[in-house]
Amino acid sequence: MLKNSIINLSSISEKKEGSTESQIFRLTNRVVQLTYHFETHGKDYSSQRGLRKILSKRRNLLTYLFKTNLMSYQDLINQLGIRKLKRN
């Protein structure tokens, strides 16, 4: 069940391994995995800390992608189904 729910997009995974898009893709997969983990282990506080670090890293990468390549940012947001960045 867990493997079926993890996002699998071939267009993103075919890009370069270290590209910003592929890093965001991998971090999003890890967020999904941790979300399912918390359904059964709600008081796993060390994993919650790790999730916050992952979300922070993903937010920073999304900010960078937004500033450098807006079209790629919008495509990635739509494909992964994550919210847009908050604009102050």
Side-chain angles (χ1 to χ4, degrees):
M1 179 177 157
L2 181 62
K3 290 186 179 183
N4 294 337
S5 62
I6 296 174
I7 301 166
N8 187 8
L9 299 174
S10 61
S11 63
I12 295 173
S13 61
E14 288 177 0
K15 291 189 177 191
K16 287 185 175 180
E17 294 261 336
S19 69
T20 306
E21 293 90 352
S22 65
Q23 290 180 43
I24 293 170
F25 172 73
R26 286 192 189 97
L27 290 172
T28 303
N29 275 338
R30 186 67 183 136
V31 168
V32 171
Q33 289 175 350
L34 284 172
T35 303
Y36 284 113
H37 171 76
F38 291 134
E39 289 178 2
T40 55
H41 304 93
K43 294 186 178 183
D44 187 358
Y45 297 116
S46 58
S47 292
Q48 288 178 9
R49 179 176 182 263
L51 177 63
R52 285 192 297 269
K53 289 174 77 173
I54 290 170
L55 290 173
S56 174
K57 183 177 276 192
R58 185 178 76 172
R59 185 183 65 238
N60 290 337
L61 287 170
L62 284 169
T63 303
Y64 171 77
L65 190 61
F66 179 80
K67 290 179 181 179
T68 57
N69 192 350
L70 184 60
M71 292 302 294
S72 178
Y73 166 80
Q74 290 173 344
D75 290 340
L76 189 66
I77 291 294
N78 291 334
Q79 288 178 348
L80 294 178
I82 53 180
R83 291 185 291 185
K84 295 180 182 180
L85 293 171
K86 290 183 181 178
R87 301 293 291 170
N88 293 341

